Amino acid sequence: EGVDYTIGVPCDYCVALCYFEGESLVPVEMDDKLMDDVFPVAENIVMEEFGEELELQRTPQTLTLVGELEDDYDDDDEDEEEEEDDDDEEYDGEEDVEVLLTFEHRDTEFHLVRLLDPVLLVGKADAERPDIRVLLTPQESDKVMPLLEDTFLKYHEERDSMIP
């Protein structure tokens, strides 16, 4: 189609708000009304727990945590082991996550999780300012992402076949 696409990754930690439905960890979608309800609660809890060290932001396409995460959290070891066990036993394995904190809101237990797999952001040149990139709409993304994935896989297959 003659469109140049740019692929990037957020510079901050990508996170998600999730809850369990049966044994599956379900992310709250960015455009869901539930996100409008639960995000301010999570934002306040992050502020209370981490002060100025971390800030939860509702950025386009993914939530992010701004700041530096420490390897060792201030929670006691027993809580950490429980969270890790929950990840191993109940999460369906579709995406690797690390539970950062858990809280209850309107009788539902929510988890703020760090996404361990990279989140790719795809943009294209702005029609009015070609030096600026704009993120794809969901409809554009549905159309373009499979093409980009195919191109990426073909490139790596060709490259791998050339390596002795």
Side-chain angles (χ1 to χ4, degrees), residues 90-106:
E90 297 182 55
Y91 185 60
D92 63 12
E94 287 185 20
E95 188 171 357
D96 289 332
V97 299
E98 172 187 4
V99 176
L100 300 175
L101 60 88
T102 300
F103 62 95
E104 192 169 309
H105 178 64
R106 300 190 196 278

Side-chain angles (χ1 to χ4, degrees), residues 3-146:
V3 178
D4 289 331
Y5 294 99
T6 303
I7 299 174
V9 294
C11 60
D12 298 310
Y13 298 102
C14 294
V15 296
L17 287 168
C18 304
Y19 59 93
F20 277 101
E21 193 170 88
E23 292 186 9
S24 297
L25 190 59
V26 178
V28 179
E29 298 296 329
M30 293 293 289
D31 59 352
D32 191 322
K33 289 181 181 182
L34 180 57
M35 180 64 79
D36 295 335
D37 183 43
V38 78
F39 177 80
V41 175
E43 185 179 36
N44 285 334
I45 291 171
V46 168
M47 192 169 37
E48 289 170 6
E49 287 282 322
F50 300 101
E52 294 180 11
E53 293 177 31
L54 292 174
E55 180 184 349
L56 182 62
Q57 294 187 341
R58 192 172 180 176
T59 53
Q61 295 191 1
T62 185
L63 298 178
T64 57
L65 265 181
V66 178
E68 286 297 318
L69 284 173
E70 296 178 16
D71 290 335
D72 299 321
Y73 297 100
D74 292 335
D75 296 343
D76 60 52
D77 291 336
E78 190 174 307
D79 288 344
E80 284 184 37
E81 287 175 20
E82 283 179 22
E83 290 174 357
E84 288 172 12
D85 287 346
D86 285 348
D87 271 351
D88 294 339
E89 293 173 15
E90 297 182 55
Y91 185 60
D92 63 12
E94 287 185 20
E95 188 171 357
D96 289 332
V97 299
E98 172 187 4
V99 176
L100 300 175
L101 60 88
T102 300
F103 62 95
E104 192 169 309
H105 178 64
R106 300 190 196 278
D107 298 324
T108 301
E109 187 173 75
F110 289 93
H111 308 275
L112 180 66
V113 299
R114 177 178 167 203
L115 306 177
L116 300 178
D117 292 335
V119 173
L120 299 179
L121 304 175
V122 179
K124 63 182 182 180
D126 184 287
E128 296 175 14
R129 295 194 51 204
D131 58 323
I132 297 199
R133 301 294 178 259
V134 292
L135 294 175
L136 302 181
T137 65
Q139 295 80 13
E140 290 173 315
S141 184
D142 289 345
K143 181 179 172 185
V144 170
M145 288 305 287

